[in-house]
Amino acid sequence: MIKAILFDMDGTLLDTEGIWNKAWTAVEEKYGFMFDPKIKDSFIGMPKQKMLEIKDSIIPSHLDYDEIQKFRVEFFHEYTSSHPIEIKQGAFECLNFLKSKGIKAIVCTSTYKERAIPWLKDAGLYDYFDDIVTGDIVKVGKPNPEIYEITLKKNHLHADECLAVEDTTVGVLAATGADLKTFYIKDILDISNEAYAKIYKQLDNLGEIIKEIGGQENE
């Protein structure tokens, strides 16, 4: 019996990844350098810890990484002040269904608490969740499974009682690394072949989880 669904946030619940991509483009234009497109794509879903590890290899040495990060975040906030963050298709239907069935809904996001909580509140999603686990509590970000392992322990859950929902390669590898059956819903990019081989099922949107959970209840 499924007791909880563990949701990634960026690109899964909230349509934020495209905005972050616009912010990186603004960085390129302001500071006069270009990322290799493959490197830029790799930023999608990348936790802050990993970004700090590789910053010296992706940011020209004459530029200040902290200044660039500040500009990037300011761009995001300015953009979303006039373009509210959109909620992914089927989110409300799915979360209402889980609540009606007494199934826990939990967020497992690489985004830090100072951003994740306000974004979920602004989107009207915050009150649907039984727990929100954010990237600032882990030592190693996705694709390491630590955030999922912490979430399971914190909520007294076993992996076989839960399903995860992810949209990126690093997210899928983190969830499956914690032995979670994982739904994949494509956002901007396809996931790697390695990650795709590990998923439980690919869905088109969050609303399809209703049928999946209903089907399992009847098994």
Side-chain angles (χ1 to χ4, degrees):
M1 179 180 177
I2 299 301
K3 293 184 178 180
I5 308 292
L6 281 50
F7 295 87
D8 172 57
M9 185 182 74
D10 292 272
T12 299
L13 292 166
L14 301 179
D15 195 7
T16 53
E17 298 292 12
I19 305 173
W20 284 121
N21 193 48
K22 290 179 186 292
W24 280 118
T25 299
V27 166
E28 292 174 320
E29 293 173 353
K30 178 177 174 63
Y31 292 95
F33 72 99
M34 298 292 290
F35 292 110
D36 180 295
K38 290 183 179 179
I39 292 177
K40 197 172 178 181
D41 286 347
S42 74
F43 296 158
I44 295 174
M46 183 181 291
K48 185 175 182 180
Q49 295 95 331
K50 182 63 176 179
M51 187 67 74
L52 290 171
E53 288 177 14
I54 68 171
K55 65 182 177 64
D56 291 338
S57 64
I58 60 173
I59 303 296
S61 58
H62 66 282
L63 296 176
D64 182 80
Y65 174 77
D66 291 334
E67 178 185 336
I68 287 175
Q69 277 294 84
K70 181 180 178 183
F71 171 80
R72 189 174 73 97
V73 171
E74 288 175 350
F75 176 94
F76 186 98
H77 288 309
E78 183 176 343
Y79 184 89
T80 54
S81 67
S82 57
H83 303 78
I85 298 172
E86 294 184 5
I87 301 160
K88 300 295 280 190
Q89 182 182 351
F92 282 116
E93 293 87 344
C94 176
L95 293 169
N96 277 313
F97 173 80
L98 297 181
K99 188 175 288 290
S100 73
K101 295 295 184 180
I103 299 171
K104 290 184 177 181
I106 299 172
V107 172
C108 294
T109 177
S110 295
T111 299
Y112 280 22
K113 184 177 181 179
E114 63 185 18
R115 295 181 193 166
I117 300 299
W119 291 351
L120 290 167
K121 287 183 176 179
D122 288 346
L125 295 176
Y126 178 82
D127 290 333
Y128 283 95
F129 293 102
D130 297 274
D131 195 11
I132 297 170
V133 183
T134 55
D136 41 317
I137 73 163
V138 300
K139 294 180 180 179
V140 187
K142 299 175 183 179
N144 188 287
E146 182 183 6
I147 192 166
Y148 282 107
E149 292 169 346
I150 288 173
T151 299
L152 292 172
K153 184 176 181 179
K154 182 169 180 269
N155 288 276
H156 308 290
L157 294 164
H158 297 288
D160 60 4
E161 299 172 327
C162 306
L163 294 166
V165 191
E166 282 281 0
D167 71 294
T168 63
T169 293
V170 295
V172 168
L173 294 177
T176 57
D179 296 324
L180 289 159
K181 288 184 178 179
T182 303
F183 290 126
Y184 160 57
I185 301 176
K186 181 180 176 180
D187 182 33
I188 294 176
L189 299 175
D190 291 319
I191 57 175
S192 69
N193 291 336
E194 176 194 4
Y196 196 84
K198 295 176 182 291
I199 67 170
Y200 176 54
K201 187 174 289 188
Q202 180 173 358
L203 305 178
D204 289 331
N205 60 71
L206 292 166
E208 292 188 357
I209 293 173
I210 297 172
K211 181 174 68 175
E212 294 295 327
I213 298 299
Q216 291 199 21
E217 287 182 339
N218 295 324
E219 289 178 359

